[in-house]
Amino acid sequence: MSTLDGKVALVTGSGRGIGRAIALKLAAHGARLVVNGLDPERAEETARLVKSAGGEAVAVIGDVTDDTFAERFVRAAVDSYGGADIMVNNAGHTWDGVIQKMTDEQWDMILDVHLRAPFRLLRALQPVISTQAKEERARGVRVHRKIVNVSSITAAGGNAGQVNYAAAKAGLGGLTKTLAKEWARYNVNVNAVAFGYIHTRLTTAAADAGSTIKVGGREIRVGVNPDFMARLEQLIPLGRMGTPQEAAGAVYLLCTPDSDYITGEILVCGGGYV
């Protein structure tokens, strides 16, 4: 039996990159997936990859910041599989700028996707979690469920040009620790993984080469200067950036039964760089 056999896992932002790697990792260990992405083709591709490997997956297309998304995403899990066991709040992006040049729109967009969206998703999940826990308690059964919020080492150390992102991820840490206390009565483990520098389109594309992502009808410039990244890699004790698969491994650890007595923690996955 695989470690996650029969578990229902919801993963936001799983159309590409780390999110896709997380979805495929959980599915490989037996979980049934609800995946999500802004781009219908990429989200459906993730679902197809899960299915082609023998797993189960449904795709929910949409922006996690939309007012109706949280209920729609949770409902997909209930309608498709009858409940929910794991939620990974992974969706996100950056929109950098020093504070004197940062607009309210920049601030609000990043706080919305990294903090408000997870709050809404977890609020929508609560009735499902509560109902399942009560039914199991009545049968004398203990089932642990898992929440993993994706954070960043920037939350603890800051990063010039990312006051919005750092503030959002720091807030997510507070949400994680508080919900771990609130949901302990449901036997839910609530933890976070703080990623260091992982190879994704947000960290490997050169910012001065005009790389952008499209979010909410806006073209947002992303990427890191390659010379800067080369210098940074020398500061990482393991000597390199991480891969999406390695990032997914850290999330997986907190979804397994081996983490049943770990809650309210923030696991750093950064190759030793803090």
Side-chain angles (χ1 to χ4, degrees), residues 13 28 85 87-88 103 148 167 171 215 254:
D85 300 288
M87 179 175 280
V88 181
T103 65
V148 183
V215 181
L254 294 176

Side-chain angles (χ1 to χ4, degrees), residues 21-84:
I22 292 169
L24 294 177
K25 180 76 171 180
L26 300 183
H29 288 273
R32 296 173 288 172
L33 269 294
V34 182
V35 301
N36 152 257
L38 280 170
D39 185 329
E41 291 185 7
R42 291 188 176 277
E44 293 290 355
E45 183 181 5
T46 298
R48 284 196 299 272
L49 288 170
V50 170
K51 293 174 184 177
S52 66
E56 298 179 57
V58 295
V60 178
I61 313 304
D63 187 335
V64 296
T65 66
D66 285 348
D67 289 344
T68 63
F69 178 82
E71 286 73 19
R72 190 159 57 90
F73 195 51
V74 172
R75 177 52 54 189
V78 175
D79 290 348
S80 299
Y81 306 120

Side-chain angles (χ1 to χ4, degrees), residues 203-217:
T203 58
T204 58
D208 57 357
S211 299
T212 64
I213 58 173
K214 189 171 184 178
V215 181

Side-chain angles (χ1 to χ4, degrees), residues 120 157 209:
R120 284 176 159 182

